[in-house]
Amino acid sequence: MSTADEIDLAFPENWHRRHLLDLESLSADEIQILLDTAQKLKELTGGCRNKLSLLAGKTLANLFFENSTRTRNSFSLAAKRLGADTVEFSSGGSSVAKGETFVDTAKTIEAMGVDWVCTRHVTPGTPHLLARELRCCVINAGDGPHEHPTQGLLDMLTIRQHRGRLDGLTVALVGDISHSRTARSNIWGLSKLGAHVIICGPPTLVSPRWQELGFEVAHNLDAILHRCDVLNLLRIQFERQKARPFPSVHEYAALYAMNGARMRRAKDDILIMAPGPINRGVEITPEVADGPHSVILEQVTNGIAVRMAALWLLSGAKDASNSTTPAEPIHYV
Amino acid sequence: MSDLLIENGRVIDPSQGVDRQARLLIRNGLVAAIDPRHEEIPADCPRLDASGCIVAPGLVDLGVELREPGNEEDETIQSGSDAALAGGYTSILCTANTEPVIDSPGAVEFVRQKASRANGVRVHVIGCLSRQREGEQMAELGLLAEAGAVAFSDAPRPIANDALLKRSLDYCRMLNRVIIDIPEIPELAESGVMHEGQVSLTLGLKGLPTEAEDLAVARDVRLAEATSGRLHVGPVSTMGAVDMIRRVKSREIAVTASVCPHNLCLLDSELRSFDSRFKVHPPLRSRRHVETLREAVADGTIDAIQSGHRPRSREKKMNDLDLAPFGAATLETTLSTVSKFMIENGILTWPQAIDRLSTAPARIASIGGGSLAVGSLGDVVIIDPNAKWQVDASQFRSHCVSSPLDGQELSARVTHTIVGGVIRFQA
């Protein structure tokens, strides 16, 4: 177990954020700091396996109001790898079930002396609401279809480890963009670091408004496949859809699933990614998911590194003056 | 009794085209004269100096939620009445979305009695259009009218059933009552939280598409044309709605429309803060919609500005955006919002603003007020047009302290609200 000084991990002077709520509001420099720190911590922990004592005595509370396996465990492991304690909370069987609001629940948990609250919730903006109400650091672990910043960061870290850069790469996000928080974090993070982002899927899942915002939109995967350095295959989130946005799963798979035939038409060094859980046979066939181009399990490993970085950086900025997300001005017409 | 002489003010009465320095005499609760002769003024008549102020007919609101009975944590008839007076209103129409709903003469009577005890603003009742506000069968509209309902609506629910709306427009011709519809196609608006556009896209929030309003307005005005019934649509918030209303008005179809003040000055980008005080209905829209609405108010396509007062308790609004209800307290800020964003920007003149806030809504609802003509109700608002003040929602008379303009500096302030010649509010 080692301290920051002992392991030569300097706290970046230009990091001031106390909360990690989204990637849209982060600068390119801030994203670079997160990625660089994650890379360093991954190396220092021997691929996220060994423990450091950087955050000894601190406590992370996982407040998950939605189901999660990998993200919750990843945050817990990240905290433990840095010597922190964890508190686990699920909405089932809690006071939320008795009618307590999630803000009051979060305040109660905070009052037990936690340093970070990591939250997942079905509604966009709930981490922002907590950031206004709590004094501790707030980390967004997914707020409805809005953002999942650490997922975006771990995707970017994985690409960077394989390609050495993000600038100039073409990354296609394929699938259920409408309901995907991973997509939104990827879109902002990748574009800020210079990647060309293509948003691909049927028109019912990919709004043309993305084009108004300057992003390339495609509805034909085969037409863009040859240009892609990375494919990030997003899960169809049936649980969020009130009406089926395409005629059948069979049709969707025929048009958008990454399969062996498409792999043969793709670039030789294409990276295949998926945030998981994956629907085998829907977005991705087993031969591709388990094939040599797949980095899906590396993404999971990198998730711990990214979350270690987030916990350490946010904790260090806790008392900084420029520490909160700036309030948006009122937009009069 | 109920006599008052208001002196030295700028009297504005759009109903008569009056805009001049004048004295206003109220006798026995009614307007007796503008610039009365000396001998007309009783020797002991109380006097009120309105130097530097505007003297205008009291404001009239076409749709206020009072929430009593059933949801007194949001608002009571007393607190809503107090808030209305502070905002310069002398008459408000209260909507029927209470528990139980106002779909019977007894329910109308309850509100009228409570309002009488509140001894504040004149409270007029909008009766339910449909039984239990379920949108299927007409309520007993004739009996509700006899009991005092001045209009009918299922607000804040839209009237989704085409046949019900058509039948009701037909039926109400004999009652001389206006039907007010919230224009929205429920299936298109389902579970929407904010305006559907670039902002909702990036925030991942479910949008309320403009076509949900556009299509509803198109249907509404077509049925009004077919039946010659009296229809008011509003509040409206989209370019498409304005376009439709403008077209039917050119054909002299008896349709009127209104807009809320926050839809004239705030953009959907406010929701980037994820703050539920900006979750209002109709939603804050994008810039081009707001600009179109402002033009439409100026040229009279949109007849009236209504507060859109939809109070919800602090604990309800504290929730996350999906669960937090639509709504805000607006009675106490509407006049000042119009002043700052419509008058100071040169979009409206004061006489036009008074018309949209008082004269037009009184005419649409066919109630007294909205005029200072001799014999009219002695309902007057006195406004200091040069006042600057900062909104502090925690100080509202309303039970609701959620305001999209909380903390902002507004201009113009109500100094007195006079109902039937009696000063009911003084700043």
Side-chain angles (χ1 to χ4, degrees), chain B residues 290-356:
Chain B
V290 175
E291 287 174 351
T292 301
L293 291 171
R294 293 163 74 144
E295 289 166 12
V297 172
D299 69 20
T301 302
I302 292 178
D303 306 79
I305 300 170
Q306 67 177 90
S307 72
H309 186 71
R310 196 166 173 177
R312 292 296 182 273
S313 67
R314 188 193 297 262
E315 58 269 25
K316 289 177 186 169
K317 290 295 279 187
M318 269 180 71
N319 245 314
D320 58 85
L321 273 180
D322 274 359
L323 290 176
F326 290 100
T330 51
L331 279 169
E332 293 164 75
T333 53
T334 294
L335 176 75
S336 298
T337 309
V338 171
S339 169
K340 174 159 179 174
F341 296 102
M342 299 294 280
I343 297 172
E344 285 191 1
N345 288 349
I347 298 164
L348 285 184
T349 62
W350 268 109
Q352 286 175 317
I354 298 299
D355 175 69
R356 310 302 189 258

Side-chain angles (χ1 to χ4, degrees), chain A residues 24 102-103 121 123-126 128-129 132 145-146 184 188 207 209-210 212-213 242 329-333, chain B residues 191 196-198 201-205 265-267 269-270 272-275 278 294 318 320 322 341 408:
Chain A
E24 187 184 4
F102 86 100
V103 172
H121 199 284
T123 304
T126 43
H128 302 70
L129 179 54
R132 284 198 294 271
H146 176 219
R184 283 173 180 77
W188 299 122
S207 168
R209 289 198 171 93
W210 286 114
E212 296 168 18
L213 290 165
K242 293 207 167 172
I330 296 278
H331 299 85
Y332 296 127
V333 177
Chain B
S191 67
E196 184 178 281
Q198 287 184 0
L201 178 76
T202 56
L203 298 184
L205 286 166
C265 64
L266 293 173
L267 302 178
S269 49
E270 298 307 333
R272 285 191 171 281
S273 64
F274 295 102
D275 191 329
F278 298 111
R294 293 163 74 144
M318 269 180 71
D320 58 85
D322 274 359
F341 296 102
Q408 303 307 305

Side-chain angles (χ1 to χ4, degrees), chain B residues 1 11 43 48 87 104 134 149 161 200 202 208 242 255 282 300 302 311 356 359 369 424:
Chain B
M1 186 66 181
V11 174
L48 200 161
S104 68
E134 287 174 345
N161 184 322
S200 69
T202 56
L208 289 159
V242 168
V255 171
I302 292 178
R356 310 302 189 258
T359 305
R424 293 270 167 86

